[in-house]
Amino acid sequence: MRKIFFLILGGIFFCSYGINAKKTEITIVGEEFYINGKPTFEGRTWRGMKIQGLLPNARLVNGIFDDKTDSTRYKWVYPDTKVWDADRNTGEFVENMPVWKEKGLLAFTINLQGGSPEGYSESQPWYNSAILPDGSLDMAYMQRLKLILDRADELGMVVVLGLFYVGQEKFINDAAAVRNGIRNAVEWVLKNDYRTVLLEINNECDFFKLDGLTPETVDKSIRYAKSITYKGRRLLVSASYAGTIVPGEKVLAESDFVLLHGNGISNPEQITAQVDSVRRSPGYTAKPILYNEDDHFDFEEEVNNFVKATASYASWGYFDFRMKGEAYEQGFQCVPVDWGINSERKQGFFNLLMEWKNTK
């Protein structure tokens, strides 16, 4: 009887482990991203350019968005229901993830404090943050994030998880809360055994004021996040700067991968110059270079920012915001978001990804 009991118990444990075991792991080898031990696009070129090891991505930062400010929630209502629904937003995000993956998208950026739900905003009075003022975590947000990370793991997609966004910095108490937020978020990811996450301390550190988030101090936060381990594992960590900016030497040296933004770069040749500047920096050692935000498109043109980034052996990230006056279907950032591929601009980006996917 005892033997049968332990066989049953062992079977339950095995089944449970099988259900919970993670399927996707992102690693770095030199300048290449690897998924599950193999470089992305292994052995492939596109238009004569090496794409092995690159990680095409999109800025989808408002996948767990909510607004805790009653006076601004009206801004985000859905056209059909006339109400805002954070769970609907995340649910529709998750529903579209297999569509993006099938079209060739390997990675996306999401942020615990989102991004401007208006695309670009001079003031941001709304309160959207999974990180509470003292650095603890809002579990309603984290549950929505869990739905996304679980699906990403199943699909083999990589998630660039941002922690802080400048529009929400005012809701963080102080530098101690920044450190608490980093610790709590990193430990949450590690203890849930998510292996498909790359960490972005903050989006566009140039605009922050709190110690640990400014260009002069964010290297300390990168180092701190890297020092947090669970069962011998840590996260791969970086931070991003505003468009056209090349990260400082200390940040380049401390980062596991380099994050760049192409906003403000209307001449594709400047993409080449930006990447070259990174590689010439005394702080740079061989590691992947990844654009995770660029609001320039021209996908139908022979030369554009996407093409120039690829030619420079840097991964490119699509930032698709809805301009004022554009239809609800436009954009991947302005809330409420329609997460489908239902605009000419979105289709142009995914057409290029399909070319990558279909290369031999």
Side-chain angles (χ1 to χ4, degrees):
M1 178 65 79
R2 177 182 289 250
K3 183 176 181 180
I4 292 173
F5 171 78
F6 279 109
L7 284 173
I8 294 172
L9 185 64
I12 292 172
F13 175 80
F14 178 80
C15 291
S16 176
Y17 179 82
I19 291 171
N20 294 322
K22 294 300 184 281
K23 299 177 180 178
T24 305
E25 182 170 17
I26 181 71
T27 54
I28 289 172
V29 178
E31 295 185 70
E32 298 184 344
F33 288 107
Y34 276 51
I35 297 178
N36 293 337
K38 293 185 178 181
T40 61
F41 304 103
E42 186 172 14
R44 300 188 196 183
T45 59
W46 174 69
R47 300 184 185 180
M49 297 176 282
K50 176 184 175 182
I51 60 173
Q52 175 175 306
L54 293 183
L55 195 66
N57 64 96
R59 177 177 167 84
L60 310 176
V61 289
N62 283 325
I64 60 172
F65 177 87
D66 201 2
D67 187 354
K68 305 175 189 181
T69 306
D70 291 340
S71 62
T72 52
R73 286 178 66 87
Y74 76 92
K75 288 176 171 284
W76 328 123
V77 300
Y78 285 96
D80 54 350
T81 64
K82 307 305 179 185
V83 297
W84 164 246
D85 187 336
D87 291 330
R88 172 181 172 176
N89 177 57
T90 299
E92 291 179 353
F93 186 107
V94 172
E95 288 173 7
N96 279 281
M97 289 172 66
V99 179
W100 305 330
K101 178 63 188 299
E102 179 61 28
K103 294 286 188 179
L105 188 69
L106 289 191
F108 57 86
T109 294
I110 196 162
N111 195 297
L112 295 188
Q113 295 189 320
S116 171
E118 295 179 334
Y120 289 106
S121 308
E122 291 186 8
S123 64
Q124 301 192 40
W126 42 85
Y127 180 15
N128 168 46
S129 181
I131 303 175
L132 297 173
D134 64 355
S136 57
L137 302 178
D138 184 322
M139 285 303 141
Y141 277 81
M142 302 312 287
Q143 183 56 40
R144 293 195 295 274
L145 179 62
K146 186 177 188 303
L147 294 174
I148 291 172
L149 294 186
D150 284 345
R151 194 68 175 117
D153 177 67
E154 294 169 2
L155 292 169
M157 300 183 77
V158 175
V159 179
V160 181
L161 178 61
L163 302 186
F164 297 97
Y165 172 66
V166 68
Q168 299 299 302
E169 184 187 23
K170 58 182 172 288
F171 296 112
I172 303 299
N173 287 341
D174 49 30
V178 169
R179 193 172 176 89
N180 288 341
I182 293 170
R183 184 189 69 251
N184 289 328
V186 171
E187 287 182 348
W188 184 91
V189 172
L190 290 173
K191 290 180 179 179
N192 280 281
D193 198 31
Y194 290 117
R195 298 169 179 264
T196 189
V197 169
L198 300 168
L199 194 75
E200 177 183 30
I201 295 293
N202 55 340
N203 170 261
E204 298 187 343
C205 64
D206 315 64
F207 300 121
F208 284 79
K209 298 178 181 178
L210 288 173
D211 186 65
L213 298 179
T214 66
E216 297 79 20
T217 61
V218 73
D219 63 294
K220 296 189 299 183
S221 292
I222 295 172
R223 189 180 314 117
Y224 176 57
K226 288 164 55 178
S227 75
I228 301 169
T229 62
Y230 182 73
K231 294 185 177 179
R233 194 169 70 86
R234 72 167 179 89
L235 299 183
L236 298 167
V237 188
S238 188
S240 66
Y241 286 65
T244 76
I245 304 298
V246 174
E249 290 182 21
K250 291 190 296 182
V251 172
L252 284 176
E254 201 65 60
S255 298
D256 292 304
F257 56 100
V258 180
L259 284 174
L260 296 179
H261 287 178
N263 306 334
I265 298 179
S266 56
N267 180 355
E269 297 298 332
Q270 291 179 278
I271 293 287
T272 304
Q274 189 180 32
V275 175
D276 287 347
S277 294
V278 169
R279 291 201 169 103
R280 287 197 304 267
S281 171
Y284 176 78
T285 55
K287 61 189 69 174
I289 299 174
L290 183 150
Y291 283 86
N292 72 330
E293 184 175 341
D294 192 339
D295 61 1
H296 293 84
F297 315 119
D298 296 327
F299 298 124
E300 73 285 355
E301 300 293 333
E302 184 176 347
V303 176
N304 53 46
N305 287 11
F306 179 108
V307 172
K308 280 298 185 179
T310 305
S312 300
Y313 198 62
S315 304
W316 192 81
Y318 173 53
F319 171 28
D320 181 13
F321 63 96
R322 184 168 71 245
M323 298 293 290
K324 186 175 181 179
E326 286 186 313
Y328 158 61
E329 291 79 9
Q330 298 286 335
F332 268 145
Q333 177 156 314
C334 295
V335 180
V337 185
D338 187 319
W339 297 108
I341 304 173
N342 47 16
S343 72
E344 183 176 341
R345 195 161 61 203
K346 292 176 183 177
Q347 192 61 59
F349 171 63
F350 281 96
N351 285 345
L352 290 182
L353 293 189
M354 284 299 292
E355 289 184 25
W356 282 36
K357 183 176 179 180
N358 294 329
T359 57
K360 300 296 184 182

